[in-house]
Amino acid sequence: IITTMKFYKKFKFIIDDNIRGLIYLLIFALILMSILEFISLGSIPLLIGYLIEPDQMSVFFEENFNFSFNFNLDLKLFCFVIFIIFLAKSLLLSLINFFELKTIKDLKISITNKLFKKYLNNDYKFFIDNNHTALSRNLIKEIDKKYTKGNRL
């Protein structure tokens, strides 16, 4: 728990508030995506069971949920609902992937700007004492290192 708190303090220090909000929104969207995944995968065995033994499925739903089926009408509706669930899941997954890539890009830009400003605010003597190629290489390595640690969230 102590290392988690240290990580969270570093996380708050390195990442801006707006990007942190985007990351929390992304986590919420991924949880929503997981729920849709469970619903969509759980509906397939129901459909197969309904196709194999419609009478047994009807009895099961009538006894447990007080819900009765009309096989001809409800089969089409059930297939349509499953199709809509999979379509919504695919669209949501596409949006989440786009949003995730945009958030990663914004995060890299933010970290790059912070490190670059830190270098720019150093004294002139700092740049004379240090090799400029080593400084630029360090800047690139630090950005990749911070990004890699942030990507493990």
Side-chain angles (χ1 to χ4, degrees):
I1 247 184
I2 293 172
T3 55
T4 306
M5 292 303 291
K6 286 181 183 178
F7 175 76
Y8 185 71
K9 285 181 182 178
K10 288 180 183 179
F11 178 72
K12 282 183 71 174
F13 177 73
I14 292 174
I15 298 175
D16 294 334
D17 289 339
N18 59 345
I19 295 175
R20 198 173 331 128
L22 291 176
I23 290 172
Y24 292 143
L25 186 63
L26 185 62
I27 290 170
F28 175 75
L30 288 171
I31 290 171
L32 181 66
M33 186 65 204
S34 298
I35 293 169
L36 263 176
E37 188 75 31
F38 280 123
I39 291 171
S40 64
L41 291 177
S43 65
I44 293 173
L46 284 176
L47 178 64
I48 292 172
Y50 193 63
L51 289 173
I52 293 172
E53 303 242 357
D55 296 331
Q56 188 176 7
M57 289 297 286
S58 296
V59 169
F60 172 75
F61 277 101
E62 285 175 10
E63 289 175 356
N64 294 323
F65 302 110
N66 292 330
F67 187 73
S68 62
F69 280 107
N70 178 3
F71 181 69
N72 292 332
L73 178 64
D74 290 337
L75 180 63
K76 292 176 186 174
L77 180 65
F78 195 56
C79 290
F80 181 72
V81 168
I82 290 175
F83 174 75
I84 294 297
I85 289 172
F86 274 94
L87 183 67
K89 186 181 76 161
S90 298
L91 291 175
L92 185 63
L93 185 62
S94 298
L95 287 173
I96 287 173
N97 285 337
F98 172 77
F99 185 67
E100 182 179 2
L101 292 174
K102 182 183 177 313
T103 304
I104 289 170
K105 180 191 76 156
D106 292 346
L107 179 65
K108 282 184 98 169
I109 289 171
S110 172
I111 291 173
T112 305
N113 288 339
K114 279 186 178 183
L115 285 172
F116 190 66
K117 285 179 185 176
K118 184 156 178 65
Y119 274 133
L120 286 180
N121 289 331
N122 280 331
D123 294 338
Y124 181 70
K125 186 169 178 4
F126 173 79
F127 293 103
I128 291 175
D129 293 341
N130 294 309
N131 185 358
H132 66 72
T133 10
L135 289 175
S136 63
R137 186 175 46 234
N138 185 33
L139 183 67
I140 293 169
K141 283 183 181 179
E142 287 298 317
I143 291 167
D144 286 337
K145 193 187 310 180
K146 298 291 184 205
Y147 167 71
T148 304
K149 283 185 179 179
N151 200 15
R152 285 188 232 152
L153 293 174

